Amino acid sequence: MSDILTRRDFLFIGGATVAGVTLGEAGRRLLARADARQGALHVTGQQRFVTTVCRECPAACGVRVRLIDEVPVKLEGNPLCPFGRGRLCAKGQAAIEGYFDPDRLVGPARRTGKRGEHRWEPITWDAAIAELASHVTAAASQPASQTLAFAAEEHGPLASAWARFWEAAGAKPVWMHAATPARLRRRFAALTGVEADPQFDLEHATHVVSFGAPIAEDWLSPVWAQRAYGRFRRSPSRTRGRLVQIDAHRSITARKADEWLAVSPEQQVTLAYGLASGILRENRSDRTFLDAFGGNQAAFEREVVDTYPPDEVATATGVPVVTVLRLARDLAASPRPLVLVNADAPAGLIDAVFALNTLLGALDREGGVVASPAPPAEEPSDGVAVLGEMVAGTRQPRLIALRDASALRSLSAPAGYKAAIDKAEFIVSFSPYLDETADVADLLLPGPTPLESWHAVTPPSVVRAECLALARPAVGARLDTRESLTVLRSVATKAGGAIADACSWTSSESIATAEMERLYAARRGGPYSDAHETTWLSELERGGWWVSATATKGAFAQAVLEAGGWDDPFFAPDGIREALKARGGVSWPAARLTLASGTAPGRATADSLNQTLVGADDQFPLRLITFTPATVALHGGENNPSLFELLGQPEGQPWRVWAELNPDTAGEYGISSGSEIRLTSASGGSLDAVALVVEGMTHGAVAVAFVPALPAGGRWARLVHADVRSLMGGDGRRDRFAVRMAKA
């Protein structure tokens, strides 16, 4: 609890709100007065900076927090962070709003009404821990209880400690996968035999074809991707890089691209193999690379050439033959071509993209694809698959722990997942926010916000280094919150036995401290540093030398915390080629697919795909395409007004969900940009949105932004009502859905 506020203050805050567990306006004013009192005790305007880690997405970018009289007023990028180098995205800038969120949970609370009624009784931490311990002990004594612990995917010592506790309690830790390079590892390993995350050297490429990769929005590690994209476009040593974006809707990346082709997600794999066919037909592949590492390339070539003739690819995708051939020729003619893919893409498209990069000789070269030097993290269980088992009834947990709202905020989760979660006998939430977890939880154990937390996170593999983001709390706890690992340690002590034995830590600080001691003993790498020092350290290690940046272990830990993390920049090149040489070449994917037929370019994709859409008929003729705007928070707090102000920019309206339409489709319905429209699905769900007419969009399709609605959440999140998931009902497949449209 903040040392500024008393228990009486918190009782006053609780009594001033409807739910009794959030700050509300009265609590916000009380804290503002407390901040003013604290500032009066010091010299006015006393300023300092501290480092921490952004946790608004999986990227774990470094952050500098500007404090005025110990109150955070601004977040900036950490210039020593190897991903951001001083930059920070919109979600990172808005993270300070989570700290000041007036609808944050004040402290632990127990549900008194039915789930979803939001009737809560504030309780002490001792009572909350005792209640959770009783449920954990009871569940652990019954192997068939199938306890589940959901969390957004994270790697590092803190995430491992979370998993160890639940495994010792007989539970299954379940991770909601993030769109990081780890999602591509399995397909990359199938092609090359390298068990590592693939990395894309966008910065040094000269010609890029991107299959849905949201480079300018939220790709792999957003700030790193945007920095790499800027250098790809503005390198002083070469001509401006060219970008072709193949996307189902006009994303921000599509707006910035030199060329945008609207191709549905299902037909992007057809186009990818169509480009491969064009390269092989005209003998434009990198023969030097393929002669050395091509493996059974002849069989793959026959299959691709026979299955994907350019005219049939054009008919299936709506992309003219001349465009297909030109794209293939431009790629092959470029000095350093590179093909990108979204981490959330289907396995078939990922295989096709890696096959294209192989034909172009883009493996293990500058401006191509390399293997991460960091050891791969253990692949966690897939949260979406587990939710599917719950919906199907094959998994029926009695106890569910929700570290955050990711399991309830996922667009890819199967329809009916909320009802499946609600069947559990007991649900506990560790989220610090009034979010989706409060709709279903029986016990609220709010943790601190990222600014108030310890961090020890392994970031996604995007730079040629092994990294660990490490930081102490930037500010003290503002409310009566406790870190989840501290709570679990207290629960383990009460439970005893194997659970207590598995929890060797006392707090997140103890885990981070032990990790820094391990890194010091490893005698490699060092604290985050600027680009010059990082290069010098890499050269030293390449020559077999390592010199500690500090004299003692304690000084090393202090330096790491002040820098915001540790990294080892040593990188051994040619890892992919060595692996291919050992295994006898590339293992090419099976490329034979059935091409959809159409009637005319531009209409073929939507017309043919409607045969496989859920609910598609004359009453529901439009193909629904969903996308997530860059400002939508899928991991942290959602009650961020500045992000809602950015929603829909530049053409859309802030705070409103929008839908993109082809001009011909809009004309058939008498709709223009700015019109209010209503979409309805066969399940009976409906959604109101603002129409945006976009030249180049696929005919017969409507692309709708996914903005999670939170009717019972914070005051700003409650203002969003149009959640595209409302169209999908309880039974439909979320990747292929049909709707009808009318003026609202």
Side-chain angles (χ1 to χ4, degrees):
M1 183 184 296
S2 170
D3 57 6
I4 306 171
L5 303 179
T6 66
R7 184 70 184 173
R8 180 180 178 183
D9 294 329
F10 277 93
L11 292 175
F12 168 72
I13 292 172
T17 63
V18 176
V21 293
T22 62
L23 279 171
E25 288 296 342
R28 177 68 181 272
R29 290 195 297 270
L30 182 62
L31 283 176
R33 289 196 295 271
D35 289 338
R37 290 197 304 271
Q38 185 183 28
L41 299 176
H42 305 281
V43 178
T44 302
Q46 188 173 11
Q47 171 182 278
R48 72 185 183 99
F49 289 86
V50 294
T51 55
T52 186
V53 179
C54 179
R55 300 303 294 128
E56 297 304 303
C57 83
C61 294
V63 174
R64 294 179 77 227
V65 184
R66 183 187 179 205
L67 302 174
I68 300 294
D69 294 335
E70 298 306 305
V71 177
V73 297
K74 182 71 168 65
L75 304 185
E76 302 172 356
N78 179 1
L80 301 181
C81 173
F83 322 109
R85 292 296 184 199
R87 280 76 169 180
L88 204 58
C89 72
K91 283 187 283 194
Q93 296 279 0
I96 195 170
E97 295 176 352
Y99 175 77
F100 289 109
D101 184 354
D103 299 309
R104 274 180 62 187
L105 299 175
V106 172
R110 179 192 295 119
R111 179 175 58 83
T112 59
K114 295 180 179 179
R115 287 177 182 166
E117 290 183 350
H118 297 275
R119 293 165 54 192
W120 302 95
E121 172 193 14
I123 59 176
T124 66
W125 274 106
D126 288 342
I129 290 169
E131 182 168 350
L132 178 58
S134 66
H135 284 280
V136 168
T137 303
S141 64
Q142 302 177 29
S145 64
Q146 295 190 0
T147 302
L148 299 177
F150 285 93
E153 183 178 359
E154 180 181 315
H155 300 285
L158 297 184
S160 298
W162 164 273
R164 281 201 306 274
F165 170 87
W166 291 109
E167 288 170 348
K172 179 180 180 64
V174 181
W175 304 93
M176 301 303 297
H177 283 178
T180 64
R183 295 289 299 273
L184 304 171
R185 183 195 311 153
R186 184 177 299 178
R187 307 315 312 156
F188 180 63
L191 179 85
T192 63
V194 179
E195 291 292 339
D197 296 346
Q199 294 181 346
F200 298 90
D201 188 9
L202 170 63
E203 176 180 346
H204 297 103
T206 55
H207 185 96
V208 170
V209 172
S210 164
F211 284 88
I215 303 168
E217 295 103 304
D218 209 10
W219 185 55
L220 304 183
S221 180
V223 179
W224 161 83
Q226 291 161 24
R227 288 181 57 246
Y229 174 77
R231 286 165 171 74
F232 163 71
R233 289 297 216 181
R234 300 192 305 268
S235 174
S237 61
R238 56 176 171 77
T239 58
R240 182 176 186 267
R242 177 175 173 79
L243 172 65
V244 178
Q245 182 73 3
I246 299 167
D247 217 333
H249 78 109
R250 190 175 65 167
S251 62
I252 296 177
T253 305
R255 294 187 185 108
K256 293 179 176 292
D258 297 285
E259 185 175 3
W260 166 50
L261 299 176
V263 179
S264 74
E266 292 79 13
Q267 294 299 357
Q268 288 181 20
V269 62
T270 298
L271 181 56
Y273 280 122
L275 298 183
S277 176
I279 291 171
L280 291 169
R281 284 170 177 269
E282 298 181 356
N283 196 27
R284 295 176 181 269
S285 58
D286 187 324
R287 298 309 313 176
T288 302
F289 180 85
L290 293 178
D291 288 344
F293 308 106
N296 190 24
Q297 188 249 337
F300 174 78
E301 180 173 349
R302 287 194 300 271
E303 183 178 15
V304 169
V305 170
D306 291 345
T307 308
Y308 298 93
D311 54 342
E312 293 188 20
V313 170
T315 301
T317 63
V319 179
V321 173
V322 292
T323 302
V324 175
L325 295 177
R326 174 176 56 79
L327 290 176
R329 291 164 182 166
D330 288 349
L331 264 177
S334 179
R336 292 190 296 276
L338 177 63
V339 187
L340 308 180
V341 66
N342 192 0
D344 285 336
L349 179 56
I350 296 172
D351 283 342
V353 166
F354 281 138
L356 260 177
N357 280 309
T358 305
L359 290 176
L360 296 168
L363 303 185
D364 259 349
R365 67 152 166 76
E366 187 178 64
V369 183
V370 298
S372 169
E378 182 179 352
E379 188 170 356
S381 57
D382 185 355
V384 171
V386 173
L387 289 173
E389 294 171 3
M390 292 171 59
V391 172
T394 58
R395 187 185 292 273
Q396 298 179 338
R398 298 178 59 183
L399 170 62
I400 293 179
L402 300 169
R403 193 179 66 174
D404 47 57
S406 58
L408 299 167
R409 202 177 292 173
S410 172
L411 177 62
S412 58
Y417 69 101
K418 286 187 178 180
I421 289 176
D422 194 49
K423 292 178 181 178
E425 294 179 8
F426 187 79
I427 302 174
V428 57
S429 166
F430 294 87
S431 173
Y433 308 106
L434 186 66
D435 55 23
E436 294 93 332
T437 62
D439 277 334
V440 298
D442 302 295
L443 185 65
L444 302 178
L445 304 178
T449 64
L451 291 183
E452 305 163 313
S453 302
W454 279 88
H455 302 281
V457 184
T458 302
S461 301
V462 291
V463 297
R464 297 186 181 185
E466 182 181 348
C467 304
L468 186 68
L470 278 157
R472 60 166 65 94
V475 292
R478 188 172 179 81
L479 302 175
D480 192 15
T481 59
R482 291 189 186 180
E483 289 193 323
S484 60
L485 293 181
T486 302
V487 173
L488 295 182
R489 174 61 191 173
S490 299
V491 171
T493 300
K494 283 187 172 295
I499 301 178
D501 293 340
C503 300
S504 57
W505 65 87
T506 57
S507 64
S508 296
E509 179 180 359
S510 68
I511 296 174
T513 301
E515 186 65 14
M516 286 183 285
E517 292 176 353
R518 184 190 69 81
L519 293 175
Y520 182 79
R523 298 181 58 80
R524 61 188 181 90
Y528 281 174
S529 57
D530 60 33
H532 173 75
E533 291 185 6
T534 300
T535 302
W536 175 240
L537 178 60
S538 177
E539 291 301 321
L540 282 176
E541 292 193 354
R542 190 181 302 277
W545 295 87
W546 181 80
V547 179
S548 176
T550 57
T552 65
K553 181 169 56 178
F556 173 82
Q558 182 67 21
V560 169
L561 292 175
E562 290 179 356
W566 168 93
D567 69 337
D568 179 6
F570 177 72
F571 175 76
D574 298 330
I576 300 176
R577 299 185 184 225
E578 292 296 327
L580 292 177
K581 185 183 299 183
R583 76 183 313 201
V586 171
S587 297
W588 297 93
R592 189 174 297 279
L593 298 172
T594 302
L595 296 184
S597 60
T599 56
R603 300 182 62 100
T605 300
D607 293 343
S608 58
L609 285 175
N610 274 354
Q611 300 173 11
T612 63
L613 298 182
V614 175
D617 55 27
D618 293 339
Q619 297 298 315
F620 301 94
L622 297 178
R623 198 283 194 218
L624 176 65
I625 295 171
T626 58
F627 62 92
T628 304
T631 58
V632 169
L634 295 179
H635 291 81
E638 195 186 24
N639 199 34
N640 296 323
S642 64
L643 296 182
F644 286 120
E645 285 294 325
L646 294 173
L647 188 65
Q649 297 295 324
E651 294 96 339
Q653 300 179 20
W655 299 78
R656 294 299 306 275
V657 172
W658 74 98
E660 300 179 10
L661 300 165
N662 176 280
D664 293 337
T665 303
E668 293 172 7
Y669 289 84
I671 291 171
S672 58
S673 286
S675 297
E676 299 279 342
I677 63 172
R678 175 164 296 169
L679 300 175
T680 308
S681 67
S683 67
S686 64
L687 175 144
D688 292 341
V690 178
L692 180 63
V693 179
V694 176
E695 291 286 348
M697 266 288 296
T698 301
H699 188 280
V702 54
V704 180
F706 168 49
V707 184
L710 198 52
R715 65 199 62 194
W716 296 296
R718 288 198 299 266
L719 298 178
V720 176
H721 303 285
D723 191 326
V724 72
R725 292 176 293 184
S726 63
L727 295 171
M728 300 172 181
D731 302 315
R733 287 180 56 188
R734 299 204 160 191
D735 57 343
R736 298 184 181 182
F737 221 81
V739 296
R740 67 180 175 216
M741 178 174 62
K743 288 186 176 180

